[in-house]
Amino acid sequence: MANQKRVFAAAIAAVALAAAAVLPTAEAAQPGFYVGGFYGQSDKDSDIQDYSVYAATRIFPSPAVQLTVESIDETLDTKDSSFGFLAGYRFNTHFAVEGGYIDLGRVSYRAQVQGNITGIPTDATLNFDSETAGLTVAAVGVWPLSYRWEVYGRAGALFSSNDFSIYYIDVEQTPKRDRFADSDVDFLGAVGTSFNFLEIYDVRLEYQRIIDAGDKNTDEADADVISIGITVVF
C-alpha cells in the first residue's frame, strides 16, 4: 500500500511538472497572478476499526470512565464539506505555481454503549471527531484544449494541522472532554478542468487526493476531495 501511494504521488508530480514541455499551445490564459476559492465534498479512507481499538484500549479502561462494556453500537461518518482558498502565478501557457488553504472537514465516530459501573447498569455516549486543515503549495501543469477550455494537474504538499476531540458521558457522571492536536506534511495530487469566461474568470472542477492526510495519532488516511471553484486573474 505504501509503495502504491508513492507511485501515485510520483505519477501526479511527473504529469504536473512535465506539462511545460509537452503539447503545442491552444493559446488561452495569459501569464499573471490569480486568486480563487473552492467548495466541495471530502471523503477520508478512515477505518472504524482504528477508532474501536482506540476506544477499547484508551477510553474504557481509564479510571476516569470506569465503564465495563457489555455491548456497543458504532458508526463512522467519513464524508464532510470541504472548502479552501488559493493564490497563484502563471508563468506561461503550461506552468503555474499555487499556494492556498484547505479544510478537509471532519471524520465523526459515534458510539452508543451499554455496560455497567461497579455493577450498576449504565448507558453511555462516546464521540470522536478528527479534523484536518492546513496550507498547501503545488506546481501546476496545464494543457489548453481550446481558447477557453483547459485541463490541468497539480502536485505538491499539505502542511496540515490535525485536531482530535473526545466527548464521553454516561448516566452516572458529568461529561468528559479532551482535545489534542498535531501537525504533519502530506503529499497531494489533483487533476481538473477549467473554463474561462469574461476573459478574467475561470470555473474549475477538480478531483484531489491527499495522501495519508492527518497524523498517526489523529486518524491518518488518504482523503479525496471533489470540488468546484472559481479564480480571477489580475
Side-chain angles (χ1 to χ4, degrees):
M1 181 64 71
N3 287 336
Q4 292 177 342
K5 292 175 181 177
R6 284 193 288 268
V7 170
F8 176 84
I12 290 292
V15 167
L17 296 175
V22 298
L23 293 181
T25 66
E27 290 291 341
Q30 298 300 311
F33 288 99
Y34 59 92
V35 296
F38 58 89
Y39 181 85
Q41 183 178 72
S42 64
D43 188 359
K44 195 170 183 179
D45 191 23
S46 302
D47 188 346
I48 193 171
Q49 186 62 29
D50 294 336
Y51 285 84
S52 299
V53 170
Y54 188 91
T57 59
R58 301 291 294 275
I59 303 300
F60 298 126
S62 169
V65 173
Q66 299 179 335
L67 177 67
T68 300
V69 177
E70 297 172 354
S71 66
I72 184 169
D73 182 19
E74 306 168 294
T75 63
L76 184 67
D77 185 0
T78 61
K79 296 181 179 180
D80 199 6
S81 298
S82 177
F83 67 92
F85 311 96
L86 62 93
Y89 184 81
R90 187 158 180 166
F91 292 93
N92 54 45
T93 303
H94 290 302
F95 183 71
V97 293
E98 291 181 358
Y101 170 85
I102 185 171
D103 187 321
L104 294 176
R106 174 182 300 174
V107 174
S108 302
Y109 169 89
R110 299 292 182 262
Q112 296 298 318
V113 188
Q114 293 78 45
N116 70 83
I117 298 176
T118 63
I120 302 174
T122 301
D123 294 332
T125 296
L126 175 64
N127 297 341
F128 295 145
D129 290 298
S130 175
E131 302 176 67
T132 296
L135 301 177
T136 63
V137 292
V140 186
V142 187
W143 290 264
L145 302 178
S146 69
Y147 181 77
R148 297 195 182 278
W149 279 108
E150 298 178 331
V151 294
Y152 62 88
R154 294 195 299 118
L158 166 65
F159 299 88
S160 62
S161 174
N162 310 290
D163 296 323
F164 192 81
S165 61
I166 303 169
Y167 173 85
Y168 173 84
I169 187 170
D170 59 44
V171 297
E172 299 295 326
Q173 304 180 42
T174 57
K176 292 178 172 58
R177 294 178 173 88
D178 196 9
R179 188 181 187 93
F180 56 90
D182 212 333
S183 59
D184 202 0
V185 179
D186 310 309
F187 291 106
L188 66 85
V191 291
T193 184
S194 66
F195 178 76
N196 178 266
F197 65 100
L198 300 179
E199 303 303 326
I200 63 171
Y201 299 101
D202 286 274
V203 176
R204 287 183 169 189
L205 179 65
E206 181 179 287
Y207 163 76
Q208 180 173 205
R209 167 161 285 195
I210 316 295
I211 299 176
D212 287 338
D215 178 82
K216 62 182 180 180
N217 297 316
T218 57
D219 182 21
E220 185 176 63
D222 294 348
D224 297 322
V225 180
I226 297 176
S227 64
I228 187 168
I230 188 168
T231 63
V232 58
V233 178
F234 290 100

